[in-house]
Amino acid sequence: MTTTDRTVLPRPGDPAITPALVAEHGLTSAEFDRIVAMLGRAPTFTELGIVSALWSEHCSYKHTRPLLRTLPTTAPYVLQGPGENAGVIAVGDGLAVAFKIESHNHPSAVEPYQGAATGVGGILRDVFTMGARPIAMLNSLRFGRIDRTAASARVRYLLAGVVRGVGDYGNCVGIPTVAGEVIFDPSYEGNPLVNAMCVGVMREEELIRAVAEGVGNPIIAVGALTGRDGIHGASFASEDLSASSEAKRPRVQVGDPFTEKLLLEASLELIRSGHIVAIQDMGAAGLTSSSAEMAARGDVGVTIDVSKVPVRERGMSPYEILLSESQERMLVVAHRGREEAVRAILAKWDLAAAVIGEVIAEPVYRVTEGERVVAEFPGSELVTACPVYQPHAAESETVQALRARDVHAIPERAEEADAAWTLRQLLASPTIASKRWITRQYDSTVRASTMVGPGGGDAAVVRLRGTNRALALKTDGNGRYVYLDPRVGGRIAVAEAARNVACVGGRPMAITNCLNFGNPTRPEVYYQLREAIAGIGEACRVLGTPVTGGNVSLYNENPGGAIHPTPVIGMVGLLDSLDRATGSAFTAPGDAIVLLGEPTDELGGSEYLLAIHGVLAGAPPACDLLAERALIDALLTAIERDGVRSAHDVSDGGLAVALAECCIGNRAAPMGAEIDLGDWAHLSRRALLFGEGQGRIVVSTPDPAVVLAVAAAHGVPARAIGTVRQAAAGFAIRIGTPVLVSDVASLADAFHDAIPTIMSGSVAAVAAAEEPLTTV
């Protein structure tokens, strides 16, 4: 492909470049000056749009690149670390696992159904473009408070829409949603978080990277037609939400899971065929990012003719075609001469393939419209010349004061004289309560590989077909802790994910992360970001879980303020034997209940303070990473020795909630328990029952001697604290004398009925308000 005139001229009808237009594109005057210096002239309107997308926070990571480079990213089994569509690790038997987590927060805030659905579609494509077949989906969701009042109607609408979007898209494509977390907190009132994670499996030799190479190789647009939906989606994700955000609904993409399924199968067949060199999703910034990033990775030039891009709307300009984020599209670099073979594979799956450009030796990124050059950038500077910022960081004095507050001085409510009342309130708190209302809308068993699904254990367990092994998968994060102490909160996010993976019998191997924060130009937000990443890095080094990739989502703010800083950790672990898969619920009356780890007097940052007293204050619990590593090793050894019947980590709501969840998690077969915590009578009762001290796991065992001996060998404090009983025996905790006595049924009702009661009627309301997901 050549052009007769390489002079770049504005297209007739394009708006003039003014300071106001530059600002509208999210660029500063200094960044505009950098563009002029790079080009040696003023950019055209099309070029301005290209740069605004690629230099947006969502695509460039201009406030986080120096921080992310501090994270550990290597291990002997890491085949692909950060910088590609997804990370990849080797898991033995010649198999590899690709996994990634990403956000779709801003789109979901204004269009919850399509925002969540297309978030699922995008992360699926990131995984199968690595050559892996997706086998599992996970998510991490955050919403404001929900109750039956009119004040929370918007939040209920968002929750119902997001859940339906996640479920519909995953269910239609046929990928099980096996695990996740849902948190409700006032800080997410106007800015929900929707993070989606995908895990796929392949043979090691099937790994493919999105690196353009081979001068003369054709560039092919594959999949759905390009429309006007999603234009400037990347820029939209890089700005604060405001009252005007509703007007930006056209920037939210529209998904089609049926085309996605065809694209998945076609892409995997293309990769296996050997006809292609590289493949990349046209995600954020669409054709612009996929083509420019593949060229930059391969250190080659490319030329794209937008007049050859298949479109579904007449009269689309180069600006619109390049920046469209229409879904279910891929960009492929094929071997020269294999174009017809590529088309044949796509035709088999009822998909189009159009040659729209080629790899060139000249170090330029060039876009033409027929013979007219509409954009041209030197070398890979379009990707590499984006400025990097390291703003001033300073902790908020407000947060310092909150952390220093003596939360033990907060007086108990009169109702707390009955600790069973407090426990029921916590079990009914939407953050802690059963999420079955949500997870039942997802197909968690399609493909028949799910061994432990939603609610069955602390993490999901998914069989590796053809082997006797399985993957343990979990997402985790606690914004309250990170808000009060970002570094400690970052450590805890990784440590809790690792504990959850270990509780189902998996050895933690690697993580992907999604960093959800506010506006990084504000010193207090950049401080949170810097310290949380440092904490994540510290934990990953000690626990041996390198970071293989992830996503940064900034500007999660609205007129009410920033969200709690919320790094979400997606953890992948490995079970060496299927018979080590372990659930969280008590199952056998007469089993001993053993606590690994010790209670503390910590109460700060707890769900107890927030749910019972409406207070977020105090220092979050300390996180001893060496102790966490020893705890995981001890638990896995005890599981290997057949000493563990169930395992459940102590987290939101503290020890009393964890014990109750073990009894009532399986509503069809509840259990009772008799617990004696008298050895810790010196601690405050509230902290002992409801404090969230880290590094603790509740285990049920038919042979407590085995568990206690293993714990001692690993230097882990452990103590038998009670016995599993029939449900009719009730639930009782003594601290010398009985302090909490309840029937099991009332606890189960509080836990299982809370969210269904609140959301009654909300699904129908959303169905009436939203258009169904249909083929575009």
Side-chain angles (χ1 to χ4, degrees):
M1 181 180 295
T2 60
T3 59
T4 57
D5 181 3
R6 292 185 179 176
T7 302
V8 182
L9 297 172
R11 291 179 80 249
D14 280 352
I17 306 301
T18 65
L21 189 66
V22 171
E24 185 181 318
H25 279 72
L27 295 165
T28 67
S29 59
E31 288 170 341
F32 181 77
D33 291 343
R34 183 180 284 245
I35 298 168
V36 172
M38 174 176 63
L39 296 175
R41 56 177 171 78
T44 64
F45 178 62
T46 299
E47 289 171 330
L48 183 69
I50 289 172
V51 178
S52 74
L54 286 181
W55 287 14
S56 69
E57 191 72 52
H58 194 75
C59 292
S60 72
Y61 290 29
K62 55 191 175 186
H63 284 94
T64 54
R65 262 184 283 167
L67 302 177
L68 297 175
R69 290 192 188 106
T70 67
L71 294 171
T73 59
T74 60
Y77 49 84
V78 173
L79 303 181
Q80 177 63 59
E84 269 286 349
N85 289 312
V88 182
I89 61 174
V91 292
D93 296 325
L95 296 177
V97 173
F99 60 104
K100 176 80 174 293
I101 190 169
E102 281 202 346
S103 63
H104 231 221
N105 303 336
H106 283 50
S108 300
V110 299
E111 190 79 19
Y113 183 81
Q114 293 292 356
T118 52
V120 172
I123 199 64
L124 278 167
R125 293 192 295 277
D126 279 344
V127 165
F128 67 72
T129 54
M130 301 301 295
R133 176 172 291 281
I135 64 166
M137 294 292 303
L138 300 87
N139 53 64
S140 178
L141 311 177
R142 300 289 191 283
F143 299 94
R145 291 169 294 192
I146 57 169
D147 51 36
R148 292 294 296 166
T149 66
S152 73
R154 173 70 180 175
V155 178
R156 297 197 306 273
Y157 160 77
L158 291 173
L159 170 63
V162 165
V163 169
R164 201 165 65 91
V166 168
D168 282 2
Y169 204 100
N171 296 353
C172 288
V173 180
I175 309 299
T177 299
V178 297
E181 58 168 3
V182 189
I183 305 297
F184 300 90
D185 186 277
S187 83
Y188 307 107
E189 199 83 33
N191 198 134
L193 302 184
V194 177
N195 293 180
M197 177 177 170
C198 182
V199 180
V201 176
M202 64 183 134
R203 304 291 306 177
E204 287 188 36
E205 64 270 17
E206 293 168 343
L207 172 60
I208 187 170
R209 295 175 172 87
V211 179
E213 58 185 16
V215 173
N217 280 339
I219 297 172
I220 304 175
V222 167
L225 303 181
T226 297
R228 289 188 169 96
D229 54 320
I231 293 174
H232 273 304
S235 301
F236 175 44
S238 305
E239 60 188 37
D240 295 346
L241 290 173
S242 66
S244 64
S245 295
E246 286 288 334
K248 297 176 180 178
R249 282 177 179 259
R251 296 187 185 179
V252 179
Q253 309 92 328
V254 178
D256 174 10
F258 307 106
T259 297
E260 179 93 348
K261 174 60 174 174
L262 298 175
L263 187 60
L264 186 163
E265 299 298 342
S267 297
L268 292 179
E269 186 171 341
L270 274 178
I271 292 166
R272 310 286 190 267
S273 72
H275 296 319
I276 67 173
V277 175
I279 182 170
Q280 178 152 332
D281 171 35
M282 290 194 214
L287 175 57
T288 290
S289 66
S290 53
S291 56
E293 289 171 4
M294 283 204 294
R297 291 190 191 111
D299 197 23
V300 295
V302 298
T303 181
I304 301 290
D305 185 348
V306 293
S307 69
K308 298 184 177 181
V309 175
V311 296
R312 66 168 183 259
E313 301 180 47
R314 291 183 179 180
M316 290 185 67
S317 69
Y319 180 100
E320 294 171 320
I321 293 169
L322 289 165
L323 298 183
S324 168
E325 294 183 13
S326 293
Q327 296 292 284
E328 293 86 37
R329 300 179 302 154
M330 292 288 187
L331 194 66
V332 167
V333 178
H335 289 288
R336 191 173 188 178
R338 309 274 187 94
E339 294 90 341
E340 290 308 313
V342 169
R343 286 193 181 96
I345 290 174
L346 270 295
K348 171 184 173 182
W349 295 100
D350 291 327
L351 295 172
V355 175
I356 64 169
E358 69 179 19
V359 178
I360 59 176
E362 187 180 0
V364 298
Y365 177 82
R366 180 179 297 126
V367 180
T368 67
E369 185 181 26
E371 296 298 310
R372 176 197 292 269
V373 179
V374 296
E376 184 168 302
F377 297 89
S380 60
E381 289 186 53
L382 179 56
V383 174
T384 62
C386 178
V388 175
Y389 300 109
Q390 292 181 273
H392 174 63
E395 186 174 20
S396 161
E397 292 182 0
T398 299
V399 173
Q400 291 177 16
L402 287 173
R403 188 170 61 242
R405 183 175 174 182
D406 179 8
V407 294
H408 290 280
I410 296 173
E412 290 191 8
R413 294 173 54 169
E415 299 94 331
E416 292 185 71
D418 177 9
W421 176 89
T422 309
L423 177 58
R424 286 192 294 272
Q425 296 302 306
L426 287 172
L427 290 172
S429 169
T431 288
I432 291 174
S434 168
K435 306 304 187 296
R436 178 165 167 71
W437 181 90
I438 294 167
T439 59
R440 69 180 174 81
Q441 298 183 55
Y442 308 148
D443 190 333
S444 61
T445 59
V446 64
R447 301 184 58 82
S449 292
T450 306
M451 297 180 65
V452 178
D458 282 13
V461 177
V462 180
R463 183 193 308 265
L464 284 168
R465 290 186 177 181
T467 76
N468 189 43
R469 298 177 303 126
L471 299 176
L473 311 171
K474 189 64 170 75
T475 56
D476 254 309
N478 190 311
R480 299 191 311 270
Y481 296 164
V482 185
Y483 176 72
L484 292 169
D485 191 324
R487 188 173 292 231
V488 171
R491 292 182 197 135
I492 290 175
V494 177
E496 184 173 355
R499 283 198 307 273
N500 282 319
V501 162
C503 280
V504 296
R507 168 70 62 182
M509 291 191 70
I511 74 163
T512 177
N513 58 41
C514 195
L515 306 177
N516 306 276
F517 287 77
N519 186 331
T521 64
R522 297 202 291 119
E524 62 272 25
V525 171
Y526 193 71
Y527 174 86
Q528 293 169 339
L529 189 58
R530 185 191 72 189
E531 292 299 298
I533 290 173
I536 290 170
E538 291 166 357
C540 287
R541 290 183 187 91
V542 174
L543 299 178
T545 54
V547 182
T548 63
N551 173 237
V552 177
S553 174
L554 305 182
Y555 299 95
N556 288 291
E557 304 210 7
N558 62 80
I563 61 162
H564 285 337
T566 309
V568 172
I569 304 299
M571 177 84 68
V572 174
L574 184 66
L575 284 77
D576 285 329
S577 176
L578 296 178
D579 59 15
R580 292 176 187 160
T582 305
S584 58
F586 295 153
T587 59
D591 275 359
I593 301 170
V594 174
L595 178 64
L596 300 177
E598 285 195 306
T600 69
D601 215 21
E602 296 166 303
L603 200 57
S606 62
E607 181 68 14
Y608 160 80
L609 287 177
L610 190 63
I612 305 301
H613 296 279
V615 170
L616 174 62
C623 182
D624 183 334
L625 294 171
L626 293 176
E628 295 278 5
R629 187 173 70 184
L631 175 69
I632 289 168
D633 289 342
L635 176 62
L636 293 177
T637 301
I639 291 173
E640 290 167 9
R641 295 183 184 176
D642 297 324
V644 174
R645 189 104 64 186
S646 70
H648 182 37
D649 90 312
V650 179
S651 57
D652 288 330
L655 181 56
V657 165
L659 290 163
E661 288 172 336
C662 292
C663 291
I664 62 176
N666 181 357
R667 195 172 196 178
M671 291 288 151
E674 293 182 8
I675 308 295
D676 188 346
L677 303 180
D679 289 328
W680 295 289
H682 60 284
L683 301 177
S684 76
R685 187 183 73 164
R686 290 193 293 181
L688 179 55
L689 294 177
F690 308 118
E692 297 173 6
Q694 298 294 291
R696 296 181 292 164
I697 296 173
V698 172
V699 167
S700 68
T701 173
D703 192 349
V706 169
V707 176
L708 294 173
V710 168
H714 285 84
V716 174
R719 191 161 301 179
I721 61 171
T723 306
V724 179
R725 298 298 189 200
Q726 295 285 355
F731 180 84
I733 297 178
R734 296 192 307 274
I735 307 177
T737 59
V739 297
L740 195 161
V741 178
S742 176
D743 64 291
V744 171
S746 66
L747 300 181
D749 290 347
F751 181 70
H752 289 284
D753 294 344
I755 291 179
T757 299
I758 292 170
M759 294 302 294
S760 175
S762 293
V763 175
V766 171
E770 295 281 353
E771 290 295 321
L773 196 61
T774 56
T775 302
V776 177

